Amino acid sequence: MGIYNLSWSGHSLVFGKQTRIMGILNITPDSFSDGGKFFAFDQAVAQGQKLYQDGADILDVGGESTRPFSDQVSAEEEIRRVVPVIEKLASRVSIPISIDTTKTEVARRALEAGASMINDVSALRLDEDLAALAAEYDVPVILMHMLGTPKTMQIEPAYDDLISEIKTFLEKAIDRAVKKGIAKSKIIIDPGIGFGKTSAHNLSLIGHLSQFKTLDVPIMIGPSRKAFLRNILKDKNLEDIQPDLPVVETGTQAVVAASALNGAHIIRVHNVAHTRATLKIIDAIKQD
């Protein structure tokens, strides 16, 4: 696995020597796993601090749900949700804060408030100005593969060649970002587990994650508590099981281990403490 040194605006992270953890902070009423739990300001700040104390290397703050079939919220509402929390957390934690958004105005306000990364599930396709903003601030950008939009992505997703098509998409996304002025050294890719994929697609992506190494940028993956895990773990007569059940966390940690062994540099999760323990073991095995 390649070693990548990322340094920017007071932050420095090395990817490849140990698997990094991105802690998820959803400030939304409707996210699939924890919608509403951290919607209030005080709860959101407390959860952000907990993720930091549990060992997160990056905090990812989002104010709009991207669960399947979700609707967009306005930039104004997204800003109202995330900016005060980012401002407070930036004064309390020393790790980078990422803004999870597809909107330039939200990202700008978040960066002004203390965020220092942009996580865009649309890979800079939904808002053409977002790339210019990232270049202006010279911050790392995460480019994710998604088939369609959150509203449509899970309507019969299909591929002729899953790995090749996603790899080509991400290759083009990297080229597009570089042409807009973003340094390749500040680009991270995400194959987009659950974003326009069936359970079989997601399992195949995890198993073949190493094939994305040729893109020569850090790889992030976000499997935490997602539907494909619940589909595997639930009893056949159940429609679904709750995302925060212990059995789902066990399934998440199995995928965390598999992803790290297959080449993930960053894993995006809800439970940082459990993931930190899993990765201590996996990273020790990899270094043997």
Side-chain angles (χ1 to χ4, degrees):
M1 178 164 44
I3 305 294
Y4 301 94
N5 293 282
L6 210 57
S7 295
W8 77 104
S9 60
H11 296 292
S12 182
L13 282 173
V14 177
F15 299 111
K17 290 186 176 178
Q18 70 180 80
T19 312
R20 299 296 187 171
I21 301 171
M22 174 181 273
I24 300 168
L25 182 57
N26 291 320
I27 310 173
T28 61
D30 58 344
S31 288
F32 81 93
S33 172
D34 53 7
K37 279 189 178 179
F38 312 114
F39 193 44
F41 174 80
D42 288 343
Q43 284 96 323
V45 171
Q47 177 64 7
Q49 289 183 268
K50 182 180 188 304
L51 293 170
Y52 168 64
Q53 289 160 0
D54 285 346
D57 299 292
I58 305 166
L59 284 182
D60 194 39
V61 178
E64 177 180 71
S65 174
T66 51
R67 64 184 170 80
F69 311 109
S70 60
D71 292 312
Q72 279 197 315
V73 300
S74 68
E76 292 75 19
E77 174 60 16
E78 215 174 319
I79 288 165
R80 187 191 68 78
R81 293 175 182 182
V82 301
V83 165
V85 174
I86 290 170
E87 215 161 38
K88 181 62 74 172
L89 285 173
S91 69
R92 294 188 178 184
V93 306
S94 58
I95 59 175
I97 297 171
S98 165
I99 176 62
D100 181 358
T101 189
T102 60
K103 303 181 184 76
T104 299
E105 187 51 35
V106 176
R108 182 179 293 280
R109 293 289 298 277
L111 293 171
E112 289 170 353
S116 57
M117 296 178 72
I118 298 171
N119 181 11
D120 179 9
V121 298
S122 80
L124 306 176
R125 291 177 301 149
L126 291 183
D127 187 335
E128 292 183 2
D129 295 330
L130 191 52
L133 178 73
E136 175 191 339
Y137 276 81
D138 197 26
V139 293
V141 177
I142 300 163
L143 305 176
M144 194 193 79
H145 173 272
M146 173 170 54
L147 197 64
T149 66
K151 190 78 171 174
T152 63
M153 64 190 180
Q154 287 306 107
I155 301 172
E156 299 182 3
Y159 302 84
D160 293 323
D161 185 331
L162 175 76
I163 304 300
S164 176
E165 288 176 41
I166 294 175
K167 195 171 172 183
T168 298
F169 172 98
L170 291 169
E171 194 168 25
K172 289 179 178 176
I174 292 167
D175 289 344
R176 191 167 58 246
V178 169
K179 284 175 182 172
K180 294 278 190 178
I182 298 169
K184 189 177 179 184
S185 62
K186 288 191 170 68
I187 293 173
I188 296 162
I189 57 164
D190 180 350
I193 294 290
F195 285 80
K197 283 97 178 170
T198 64
S199 292
H201 292 149
N202 292 323
L203 294 170
S204 184
L205 273 174
I206 294 159
H208 295 90
L209 202 59
S210 62
Q211 292 193 33
F212 294 93
K213 289 180 184 178
T214 56
L215 296 175
D216 196 28
V217 292
I219 302 164
M220 187 176 90
I221 193 164
S224 187
R225 301 180 181 176
K226 286 192 171 169
F228 81 102
L229 292 171
R230 307 198 305 272
N231 287 337
I232 294 169
L233 294 168
K234 71 183 181 181
D235 292 334
K236 286 184 168 52
N237 60 338
L238 291 178
E239 286 189 15
D240 197 2
I241 55 178
Q242 290 299 311
D244 56 356
L245 287 178
V247 68
V248 179
E249 180 59 22
T250 301
T252 294
Q253 294 309 315
V255 177
V256 166
S259 299
L261 285 170
N262 285 333
H265 298 86
I266 312 165
I267 307 189
R268 183 178 182 272
V269 293
H270 297 86
N271 192 313
V272 168
H274 289 176
T275 303
R276 176 59 66 202
T278 298
L279 290 175
K280 277 186 179 179
I281 304 300
I282 297 302
D283 286 342
I285 291 168
K286 286 164 62 180
Q287 290 167 15
D288 182 45

